[in-house]
Amino acid sequence: MTATRTELVPFDAALETYDPAMGLEVHVELNTASKMFCGCSTVFGAEPNTQVCPTCLGLPGALPVVNGKAVESAIRIGLALNCSIAPWSRFARKNYFYPDMPKNFQTSQYDEPIAYDGWTEVTVETDEGPRVFRIDIERAHMEEDTGKSLHVGGSTGRIHGADHSLVDYNRAGIPLIEVVTKPILGAGKYAPLVARAYVASLRELVKALDVSDARMEQGSMRCDVNLSLAPSGSDVLGTRSETKNVNSLRSVERAVRYEVERHAGILDAGQKVVQETRHWHEDTGVTTSGREKSDAEDYRYFPEPDLVPVAPSDAWVEELRATLPEPPAERRARLQAEWGYSDLEMRDVVGAGAIDLIEATISAGATPTAARKWWLGDLARRANDTATPIDELGVTPTQVAEVQALVDAKRINDKLARQVFDGLVAGEGTPEEIVAARGLEVVSDDGALAAAVDRAIEANPDVADKIRDGKVAAAGALIGAVMKDMRGQADAGRVRELIIEKLS
Ligand code: ZN
Ligand code: MN
């Protein structure tokens, strides 16, 4: 770690001199019920060290057995990424010491990954409109997760300054798939967006395959960002840095951008980029030095002697190919056409993570317009305000369709519907029950409405005169007064009719 501190070069200026190259390594935790090589549970959040056994603790004499479901998930991910599936592949021991890795080696795959040579495509919004970038996939291999260290006594939760450390091995041995891209070249100033779009599409893909919950904030999907710069037009790659465990889409984009600025500063100062791992700091938006890492790091890989090779038959691979879901990009295009959304509307829907919710709301009877109105309006705002994933608000697609049905029946209006959503979030029952319990039903009883209209006319004689003179547009002010009087629970259409009747 010899580089002295240099100034960052602003992103746009850096791109005038250098071309970025990226390599993205994404670890996806599979959602199998048991671990990769033993029968221990994988349920998240259990008491520390309650989901362990001699195998995942690496005790002498314990023998691992491959989880067939994890192999199946690995093959399906490989196929969805257009990879070749190896008819024969082996596990290997990756030897290194780390306190949260009980065996002192990680069972991984080395030169014989189960899936290799694939590709996928992502679309990024550029100055010239949407542009498709092809991402080549080097490999997708199977391995196991490590445990978790907890550093106690310091102020930061990091090992520096801690009194002691605790280790929880519940996560040790949970199946991982590591997906590695080939160098991504030619993205230029769109590199941060391409990185983000790729990780987003991979997340969408593994969710569609139902092989992982892919929650970046819980660490079940994490991205390592390799980045290097080379002088524009050069075909030699520069020295790379590897920013580890970036755990949100936004951070992937920011980390690429930051590393471009940092590398450019080092190169402009005539210094050499250090090949090292780096830590991403979400709060400050910078990376800091981790450990130096050479290309040919000696992990003393050797084939795992306790496991038989994985040799999926062609028939099984073809059977699994037939289970692949519609590719996410094709599904989006199909749904957009079915729903009649504009490109911009569809992009907002995808951005809000609401595509499945809207599809389910439409199946439950709402129109595409109504489904989008609620999910991207009131409900997206609630999700945003409370930093809750939109699918965990406590409001289901069926309930949204029920609320819209109440609006369509003129029993509530859009404003009152928001109060129904308040009730749903608070767990007060079904929309129907909430309307009854909160007394939200719109009043369309002429007696009550007519009395309120009379009060409004009396209180606003000037407005009433205008309407008598034929300025019907002025009725809005009286409707507003009646709505206020009736706490929003009047049928606005009927109120308007009554006002016109009375004043003409
Ligand atoms: Zn175990
Ligand atoms: Mn790995």
Side-chain angles (χ1 to χ4, degrees):
M1 284 162 245
T2 48
T4 36
R5 251 186 186 291
T6 48
E7 295 291 317
L8 300 179
V9 173
F11 185 76
D12 292 335
L15 267 291
E16 284 169 18
T17 325
Y18 303 105
D19 289 334
M22 299 186 290
L24 301 169
E25 298 173 18
V26 178
H27 285 88
V28 178
E29 209 173 68
L30 297 180
N31 60 2
T32 52
S34 58
K35 292 187 180 180
M36 187 73 217
F37 303 112
C38 62
C40 289
S41 166
T42 57
V43 174
F44 182 77
E47 281 292 302
N49 298 310
T50 54
Q51 296 173 168
V52 292
C53 73
T55 300
C56 56
L57 288 176
L59 301 186
L63 283 176
V65 176
V66 176
N67 181 333
K69 184 74 188 172
V71 175
E72 178 185 304
S73 298
I75 293 173
R76 293 178 72 232
I77 290 172
L79 291 172
L81 290 169
N82 303 297
C83 289
S84 301
I85 303 301
W88 193 92
S89 75
R90 274 188 300 191
F91 286 97
R93 291 189 180 184
K94 181 181 185 182
N95 296 280
Y96 62 104
F97 173 77
Y98 213 75
D100 59 16
M101 199 176 60
K103 297 187 295 189
N104 281 339
F105 61 85
Q106 180 189 34
T107 307
S108 181
Q109 294 194 293
Y110 181 45
D111 48 357
E112 298 162 314
I114 187 155
Y116 58 95
D117 278 350
W119 57 270
T120 189
E121 283 177 345
V122 297
T123 307
V124 165
E125 206 58 46
T126 70
D127 299 340
E128 297 83 41
R131 180 172 146 199
V132 175
F133 290 84
R134 178 184 159 113
I135 312 285
D136 288 312
I137 306 294
E138 169 89 28
R139 57 191 278 153
H141 69 250
M142 299 181 281
E143 58 184 36
E144 58 181 335
D145 212 343
T146 58
K148 261 185 201 165
S149 298
L150 181 69
H151 305 297
V152 186
S155 56
T156 58
R158 291 181 181 270
I159 196 165
H160 302 284
D163 301 326
H164 62 279
S165 298
L166 299 168
V167 190
D168 175 9
Y169 290 121
N170 283 352
R171 198 179 67 178
I174 289 187
L176 292 178
I177 303 299
E178 179 174 342
V179 181
V180 182
T181 67
K182 293 185 178 161
I184 302 168
L185 307 167
K189 67 173 175 174
Y190 300 112
L193 293 178
V194 169
R196 179 188 181 134
Y198 166 70
V199 178
S201 83
L202 197 55
R203 188 176 67 167
E204 197 180 12
L205 187 77
V206 296
K207 279 187 174 175
L209 288 165
D210 196 20
V211 294
S212 172
D213 61 6
R215 286 187 194 284
M216 295 189 79
E217 71 288 353
Q218 278 184 9
S220 60
M221 180 165 171
R222 338 188 257 275
C223 181
D224 299 342
V225 176
N226 290 275
L227 185 120
S228 65
L229 294 185
S232 297
S234 151
D235 37 352
V236 182
L237 292 179
T239 304
R240 69 192 163 87
S241 59
E242 179 180 354
T243 305
K244 304 292 283 182
N245 295 329
V246 185
N247 68 348
S248 76
L249 295 179
R250 183 166 168 266
S251 297
V252 169
E253 179 181 338
R254 289 169 79 206
V256 171
R257 181 173 282 269
Y258 179 82
E259 281 297 285
V260 166
E261 296 180 340
R262 188 181 69 85
H263 281 230
I266 295 169
L267 297 172
D268 275 5
Q271 298 182 8
K272 282 197 166 115
V273 173
V274 177
Q275 185 163 328
E276 63 183 355
T277 65
R278 298 191 62 90
H279 303 294
W280 167 249
H281 301 272
E282 181 73 48
D283 45 353
T284 48
V286 307
T287 65
T288 55
S289 185
R291 61 188 165 90
E292 279 194 50
K293 190 177 178 186
S294 70
D295 262 329
E297 211 163 2
D298 191 3
Y299 287 115
R300 294 184 296 115
Y301 277 104
F302 63 86
E304 167 59 60
D306 288 340
L307 288 169
V308 294
V310 177
S313 69
D314 287 351
W316 189 37
V317 171
E318 288 318 306
E319 211 175 282
L320 293 176
R321 194 190 298 277
T323 69
L324 296 185
E326 185 181 15
E330 283 174 34
R331 173 170 174 249
R332 280 198 300 275
R334 175 177 60 77
L335 291 175
Q336 184 182 348
E338 277 175 31
W339 297 343
Y341 290 176
S342 69
D343 289 349
L344 194 67
E345 288 169 344
M346 195 63 188
R347 203 173 65 197
D348 289 346
V349 167
V350 173
I355 195 161
D356 294 339
L357 296 167
I358 288 180
E359 188 180 33
T361 305
I362 293 168
S363 321
T367 63
T369 309
R372 190 175 64 83
K373 175 183 74 181
W374 293 121
W375 285 111
L376 286 205
D378 192 56
L379 296 168
R381 194 160 42 243
R382 283 165 199 270
N384 206 26
D385 290 350
T386 55
T388 310
I390 194 163
D391 55 352
E392 289 174 21
L393 279 175
V395 178
T396 66
T398 310
Q399 290 168 334
V400 173
E402 284 167 16
V403 169
Q404 181 59 38
L406 290 168
V407 173
D408 291 341
K410 295 213 160 57
R411 291 182 51 202
I412 58 172
N413 55 32
D414 282 7
K415 227 171 169 174
L416 294 166
R418 296 202 177 96
Q419 295 188 47
V420 180
F421 288 127
D422 289 340
L424 288 170
V425 169
E428 293 171 16
T430 66
E432 194 74 53
E433 287 163 356
I434 293 164
V435 167
R438 292 192 172 211
L440 296 178
E441 195 132 4
V442 161
V443 177
S444 39
D445 159 43
D446 271 4
L449 291 182
V453 167
D454 287 342
R455 284 194 294 275
I457 290 173
E458 209 177 300
N460 301 279
D462 305 353
V463 182
D465 282 344
K466 279 188 195 161
I467 300 170
R468 283 195 190 93
D469 293 345
K471 287 184 187 139
V472 181
L478 287 187
I479 297 171
V482 173
M483 293 304 276
K484 199 170 170 196
D485 188 3
M486 306 204 57
R487 294 173 19 248
Q489 286 175 244
D491 174 348
R494 185 63 193 137
V495 169
R496 183 184 185 83
E497 285 167 15
L498 287 172
I499 290 170
I500 307 290
E501 266 170 40
K502 279 177 192 283
L503 298 177
S504 56

